[in-house]
Amino acid sequence: MTENTPLAELSAAGVSIWLDDLSRERIVSGGLANLIDTKNVVGVTTNPTIFAGALSKGEAYADQVAALAASGATVQDAVFEITTDDVRAASDIFRPVYDRTGGVDGRVSIEVEPGLAHDADGTFAQAQELWAKVDRPNAMIKIPATIEGLDAITATIAQGISVNVTLIFSLERHRQVINAYLSGLEKARAAGHDLSTIHSVASFFVSRVDTEINQRLEAIGTEAAIALKSKAGVANAQLAYEVFQQAFSSERALGLIAAGANKQRPLWASTGVKDPTLPDTLYVTNLVAPEVVNTMPEKTLEATLDHGVVPADSVTGAYDEANAVLDALANEGVSYVDVTQVLEAEGVAKFIVSWNELLETVSVALAAAKATTGSAL
């Protein structure tokens, strides 16, 4: 690990830095290993958009696509093989981090198909399938925090499978996610699983909240409304940390922790700044607290390394101010409930679009590989 950098300071403050990106090229070039060695990266998250981008470049996948085409693999099977191979290889690269941190970090996440977001049984079935296919203890299965997803989270945790709960936007849904995790741990304990091997993060989205709320504030147009722009994302996440602190100091949670369970850490997702007029480290330096993960696009990682000013803690003393921001938004007529419901629906829809792009990319690649093989015969 590099010493005396803003990234090292972030790690020292208790923030686990995960990269929000993965590709075959990063794996085979040594680029991923280099980020571990030089930039304090201790985990990776993926999603359908990331894989669609990686596969669209394609060169690093050409040999595998050709082999899959020759074997007669369907598009769905090919996507399953390609993505789980990447996650397995990345998990191996991160295994020393996993061992060194006792399983807390060194994690690589892979998401269930987004079309299953409102299908609890289908999500649970695919979570088990992905876990078995990747076959690495430091993998995490990403499950969206839809209402239906809550039951799947409990069922998956109950099987001893580590889960990254994604697409959390509201404080109430965050509480429900924590409850689903604790319920899963209780079932896992009853089934005889070793609770110490089960880990989970709750991925709370940040910048998307500002993007949606800023549009509404601009439409309102008053001086008071404009003054609230780009404050909600950080405030919402800071209050999510308060929810985390409260939930894991409860008698229920403490009993499970005493039995070996781990806390479900908050993970700050969507931390790339969308508005170029804002500081590019806004969603990093304002969300520093112990026992959190910040999953960053590489651009945000590099910006933090270059000029991030990292406080010891920018969350736990900010609850009153954060509550004041949400109260002021309500006074301006911005509905928190509506915003978070819209964002959840949009989040699922965007991942479905990316998933379909991924299927189309692989379909074209398989067809091209078959055509090349055929012309060579």
Side-chain angles (χ1 to χ4, degrees):
M1 293 295 179
T2 305
E3 302 297 329
N4 302 319
T5 69
L7 296 176
E9 292 172 4
L10 204 57
S11 299
V15 178
S16 293
I17 300 169
W18 292 6
L19 179 72
D20 193 28
D21 193 34
L22 185 62
S23 67
R24 185 73 51 88
E25 192 277 333
R26 280 193 189 277
I27 292 167
V28 300
S29 69
L32 190 59
N34 184 61
L35 290 175
I36 298 171
D37 294 339
T38 66
K39 293 177 181 173
N40 296 77
V41 171
V42 293
V44 159
T45 50
T46 69
N47 59 45
T49 302
I50 286 169
F51 277 126
L55 267 293
S56 68
K57 299 180 179 69
E59 297 85 358
Y61 298 94
D63 289 346
Q64 186 173 18
V65 168
L68 288 164
S71 72
T74 66
V75 174
Q76 288 79 6
D77 287 344
V79 168
F80 186 77
E81 292 294 329
I82 291 166
T83 57
T84 54
D85 277 4
D86 276 1
V87 169
R88 187 183 307 106
S91 296
D92 289 343
I93 293 169
F94 277 98
R95 183 59 188 260
V97 178
Y98 169 84
D99 291 337
R100 185 181 74 240
T101 61
V104 173
D105 287 314
R107 294 284 174 173
V108 184
S109 299
I110 184 169
E111 190 153 346
V112 296
E113 184 180 334
L116 297 171
H118 299 293
D119 177 355
D121 291 341
T123 294
F124 175 48
Q126 193 173 90
Q128 294 177 94
E129 188 180 11
L130 286 167
W131 180 258
K133 180 67 175 178
V134 173
D135 193 25
R136 294 295 185 271
N138 52 328
M140 270 188 165
I141 308 305
K142 285 181 83 172
I143 297 175
T146 57
I147 287 294
E148 298 84 357
L150 297 173
D151 287 339
I153 293 159
T154 295
T156 304
I157 292 290
Q159 291 295 312
I161 298 171
S162 294
V163 174
N164 177 341
V165 183
T166 189
L167 289 177
I168 308 172
F169 295 97
S170 76
L171 300 173
E172 178 55 32
R173 186 56 54 83
H174 188 200
R175 294 185 186 96
Q176 293 171 326
V177 164
I178 294 171
N179 178 66
Y181 173 61
L182 296 175
S183 296
L185 289 175
E186 287 160 352
K187 292 184 176 184
R189 179 172 60 178
H193 288 288
D194 178 358
L195 298 189
S196 70
T197 66
I198 306 170
H199 287 256
S200 184
V201 292
S203 295
F204 205 86
F205 280 55
V206 188
S207 68
R208 293 190 195 184
V209 172
D210 276 339
T211 299
E212 178 64 26
I213 287 180
N214 285 354
Q215 291 175 353
R216 299 183 185 214
L217 291 171
E218 287 168 359
I220 294 166
T222 64
E223 185 176 342
I226 299 303
L228 288 168
K229 284 182 63 178
S230 303
K231 293 183 177 179
V234 166
N236 196 37
Q238 288 169 334
L239 293 174
Y241 189 80
E242 184 181 34
V243 168
F244 159 73
Q245 286 186 309
Q246 292 169 344
F248 285 96
S249 60
S250 69
E251 184 177 344
R252 180 189 185 193
L254 291 174
L256 287 163
I257 291 167
N262 301 288
K263 297 178 184 178
Q264 182 185 56
R265 293 184 294 167
L267 179 152
W268 311 133
S270 183
T271 58
V273 172
K274 307 290 193 290
D275 182 345
T277 67
L278 296 173
D280 52 7
T281 62
L282 177 71
Y283 303 123
V284 177
T285 57
N286 285 283
L287 294 173
V288 178
E291 299 180 287
V292 302
V293 178
N294 194 311
T295 181
M296 307 179 202
E298 189 167 18
K299 184 178 179 181
T300 304
L301 180 76
E302 294 292 348
T304 304
L305 175 63
D306 180 63
H307 53 262
V309 179
V310 178
D313 184 328
S314 52
V315 175
T316 57
Y319 299 149
D320 288 346
E321 183 181 350
N323 275 306
V325 168
L326 296 193
D327 289 344
L329 287 167
N331 290 338
E332 291 300 312
V334 175
S335 169
Y336 179 85
V337 171
D338 185 64
V339 165
T340 54
Q341 287 176 345
V342 164
L343 286 170
E344 180 183 302
E346 281 186 355
V348 172
K350 286 177 180 177
F351 279 161
I352 289 173
V353 169
S354 295
W355 185 258
N356 289 336
E357 289 173 356
L358 175 58
L359 292 175
E360 176 63 20
T361 298
V362 174
S363 177
V364 169
L366 286 172
K370 287 176 183 176
T372 301
T373 303
S375 64
L377 293 177

